[in-house]
Amino acid sequence: MRLLTHNFLASNVRGVSTGYPLALEVAKSSIKEVELNADFLRGILPKLDWRALVAAASAAGFPDLLAAEQPPEAELFADGAAEAEGSAIRRLHHALLEIHVEEGALVCPDSGRSFPILKGVPNMLLHEDEVGSNALDGGRI
């Protein structure tokens, strides 16, 4: 599971008010290099929860990878930044797309419910008693 995926997941356990951000517990991770795509990063940046990303990167063993505060877009997307080793855009790219959590868990901040991550896939399936009544009636979980 990439940290990009983690940034968009939330717990839908019945009775949970927000269920976000999920705490990340990492037992095993890997690095899988992919080509940097500045246009993709520019498009996804407004949708990210920066603080959740920083916390996830830290939980994955990279506590100093990202700045506590989101860098300005002018810094991230400055001419030549994508080619500069250690630039803010390269660190963002690494955090979002190259760090893969292979084994671990996602923990709901409201209920404490743990969702396992096995072989890089988070299992967010709910137990029958965790599903709200609207889901039982065919509504959205």
Side-chain angles (χ1 to χ4, degrees):
M1 176 191 77
R2 292 178 172 150
L3 299 188
L4 173 63
T5 303
H6 168 266
N7 205 265
F8 291 99
L9 293 176
S11 172
N12 286 322
V13 173
R14 178 180 29 188
V16 166
S17 59
T18 60
Y20 184 85
L22 296 169
L24 181 60
E25 297 176 350
V26 180
K28 180 181 172 188
S29 66
S30 65
I31 303 298
K32 298 179 183 177
E33 292 186 19
V34 296
E35 188 175 334
L36 190 145
N37 182 332
D39 290 333
F40 172 78
L41 294 174
R42 183 177 278 114
I44 201 73
L45 189 62
K47 298 172 178 78
L48 292 176
D49 180 324
W50 187 265
R51 292 181 195 271
L53 179 60
V54 170
S58 183
F62 299 89
D64 300 321
L65 181 61
L66 299 170
E69 297 298 321
Q70 181 176 319
E73 285 193 36
E75 176 186 341
L76 283 168
F77 302 107
D79 287 339
E83 290 78 33
E85 196 63 37
S87 65
I89 192 171
R90 290 191 68 83
R91 291 191 313 270
L92 174 62
H93 165 78
H94 184 66
L96 286 175
L97 301 170
E98 295 184 330
I99 298 171
H100 287 252
V101 178
E102 304 292 342
E103 309 288 332
L106 299 167
V107 181
C108 175
D110 297 331
S111 69
R113 166 73 148 82
S114 180
F115 300 94
I117 303 168
L118 301 170
K119 297 181 182 178
V121 179
N123 181 348
M124 301 293 292
L125 293 175
L126 300 177
H127 300 239
E128 190 173 319
D129 63 331
E130 296 173 321
V131 178
S133 60
N134 63 335
L136 296 175
D137 297 331
R140 184 172 180 265
I141 294 179

